[in-house]
Amino acid sequence: MSDLNSIDALEAEIAAAVSVAPDLAALEELRVSALGKKGRVSLLMRGLGQMSATERQQMGPRLNGLKSSLSDAIASRKQALEYAELEQRLANETLDMTRPVRLGPLDTGRVHPVSQVMEELAAIFADMGFSVAEGPDIEDDHHNFEALNIPASHPARQMMDTFYLPPRDDGTTMVLRTHTSPVQIRTMLAQKPPIRIIAPGRTYRSDSDQTHTPMFHQVEGLVIDTETHMGHLKGCLEEFCKAFFEIDAIKMRFRPSHFPFTEPSAEVDIGCARVGNEMRIGEGDDWLEILGCGMVHPQVLRNVGYDPDEVQGFAFGIGIDRLAMLKYGMPDLRAFFDGDLRWMKHYGFRCLDVPTLAGGLSP
Ligand code: DAH
């Protein structure tokens, strides 16, 4: 039979163990071994029944006191351990909100200004009812020259600094197309009027300096219908320029010119101001040439089997790289084709900023 002293010792022993229980599992073990059904304290309490009335009077309150003091000790240790565990979790699961977010490919990749401008062109002309046509970069003499009314003896052939490929077995010589105009021929051969197309793409001439690269980009435009005249051509180009440069009014000048595939032909200048290094479109008294155009030559129509007495049309050709330089203020054409990532980061466009007339052409 335990006496009061041994109960004091038991209390001290268990309380000491509880106060240093390293974790919740160890604490639970202690609780079961003291207060569980077969725990040491429970066994002692069960012994009360066999005691004499006087003994029970003494031991009853003491054992109840023991039970409640150990319960309290365990509860408070439990709270301390749970708190420590929470602290630990909070420390481990901390997010440093000040750290920069790592960008994914959609944010770091860039669209080249030439591609951007091509998208803008497609959006603007689509709004005017044009579709996009294509032709091969490697052309034959017929499409690049003959059918466009540029015979072998024509001086325009020399002016174009053509890249010729080695002669083929059948004696013909292919060229890298010197302009996008052969797409006019291909389109007219493949479709029936009315025709409204633009044809953006790569073009090649053996030429290289600060404003010329051997590969460059043009966009061709072609409209064929029964009643198409210079007024339509002017209106169409004016609408295009206003939309492209995102201004409400633009000054344009049509200068008489000559191209073998158009008659009459014109070169178009737009009004601009040179302010320091900057070029402002739509204001000022300077002029800047941006494109060639004209009414499709009757001989070109005949060359594709059309009757010039029944259909007529207009065409234009614009240098895309030049447009991009003007709109986005890039001074050196050669940098377009250097593939320098730093340049792309600076001048490139985000890939999800798709140009539309409704949403805005340029970001
Ligand atoms: N093909 C001409 C060039 O590369 C540009 C051009 C001028 C295209 C007049 C046209 C046009 O369609 O009508 O210089």
Side-chain angles (χ1 to χ4, degrees):
M1 180 71 265
S2 48
D3 56 27
L4 290 174
N5 284 342
S6 67
I7 290 179
D8 287 348
L10 181 64
E11 180 170 14
E13 180 203 322
I14 298 177
V18 164
S19 72
V20 296
D23 52 41
L24 288 169
L27 184 66
E28 177 62 7
E29 228 169 81
L30 279 173
R31 188 191 66 78
V32 171
S33 73
L35 305 175
K37 246 186 199 165
K38 293 178 184 158
R40 293 157 83 186
V41 177
S42 311
L43 290 180
L44 286 179
M45 294 192 77
R46 217 172 290 164
L48 282 174
Q50 281 100 55
M51 290 180 195
S52 67
T54 19
E55 256 185 329
R56 198 181 305 131
Q57 244 176 20
Q58 211 184 20
M59 290 301 282
R62 179 65 189 99
L63 283 177
N64 274 325
L66 170 65
K67 185 178 168 187
S68 75
S69 94
L70 287 179
S71 296
D72 290 350
I74 289 170
S76 83
R77 180 65 186 159
K78 186 172 178 204
Q79 203 175 33
L81 284 172
E82 279 171 351
Y83 184 73
E85 192 180 80
L86 182 64
E87 284 288 286
Q88 186 64 41
R89 258 184 68 189
L90 287 176
N92 288 344
E93 292 175 7
T94 309
L95 283 181
D96 183 353
M97 304 303 266
T98 65
R99 288 177 67 184
V101 179
R102 185 187 293 161
L103 298 175
L106 284 182
D107 297 289
T108 49
R110 287 291 180 274
V111 172
H112 195 285
V114 169
S115 305
Q116 166 78 16
V117 166
M118 284 186 176
E119 294 289 333
E120 295 180 20
L121 290 167
I124 295 169
F125 281 105
D127 202 55
M128 293 194 255
F130 288 65
S131 52
V132 173
E134 281 182 326
D137 286 16
I138 297 176
E139 264 298 4
D140 55 38
D141 189 88
H142 179 76
H143 289 89
N144 197 80
F145 296 120
E146 273 315 314
L148 286 163
N149 204 25
I150 314 175
S153 59
H154 199 285
R157 289 223 184 183
Q158 275 78 56
M159 276 161 50
M160 289 218 179
D161 300 310
T162 312
F163 282 116
Y164 291 93
L165 273 69
R168 298 197 296 189
D169 289 344
D170 63 6
T172 57
T173 299
M174 302 293 276
V175 302
L176 294 183
R177 67 177 180 190
T178 55
H179 49 184
T180 43
S181 302
V183 186
Q184 289 188 32
I185 303 300
R186 291 188 174 274
T187 306
M188 287 190 283
L189 287 172
Q191 299 176 22
K192 286 192 165 42
I195 291 175
R196 282 183 191 195
I197 54 113
I198 56 162
R202 295 192 169 121
T203 47
Y204 307 83
R205 289 180 204 178
S206 179
D207 201 354
S208 184
D209 60 35
Q210 196 168 353
T211 52
H212 296 90
T213 49
M215 191 278 293
F216 57 104
H217 301 85
Q218 286 189 339
V219 59
E220 195 75 14
L222 175 70
V223 172
I224 303 283
D225 211 329
T226 48
E227 281 172 49
T228 314
H229 52 69
M230 275 305 256
H232 295 134
L233 170 59
K234 290 182 78 169
C236 172
L237 291 175
E238 187 173 331
E239 277 314 302
F240 159 69
C241 285
K242 286 196 293 193
F244 180 74
F245 291 108
E246 298 174 62
I247 50 181
D248 293 330
I250 191 152
K251 276 201 302 183
M252 296 180 87
R253 177 168 84 173
F254 284 68
R255 266 185 298 106
S257 183
H258 176 266
F259 300 102
F261 34 89
T262 45
E263 181 58 36
S265 305
E267 278 173 306
V268 175
D269 304 333
I270 50 172
C272 66
R274 282 166 233 258
V275 187
N277 275 339
E278 205 193 325
M279 182 85 81
R280 300 219 182 117
I281 306 297
E283 46 184 276
D285 295 322
D286 279 333
W287 295 102
L288 189 74
E289 183 196 320
I290 59 158
L291 63 91
C293 62
M295 301 307 295
V296 179
H297 196 292
Q299 188 55 46
V300 173
L301 295 174
R302 270 182 227 113
N303 289 346
V304 295
Y306 290 1
D307 180 352
D309 292 328
E310 279 179 9
V311 291
Q312 54 186 341
F314 63 80
F316 54 87
I318 316 178
I320 292 183
D321 312 288
R322 183 77 176 289
L323 285 183
M325 290 169 80
L326 280 174
K327 183 165 177 180
Y328 294 113
M330 293 164 292
D332 189 346
L333 177 64
R334 288 168 297 191
F336 275 50
F337 310 116
D338 281 347
D340 185 332
L341 276 179
R342 293 164 302 179
W343 186 89
M344 272 299 281
K345 259 208 162 99
H346 185 79
Y347 288 112
F349 295 83
R350 293 179 176 275
C351 50
L352 294 181
D353 292 341
V354 181
T356 61
L357 284 189
L361 279 184
S362 50

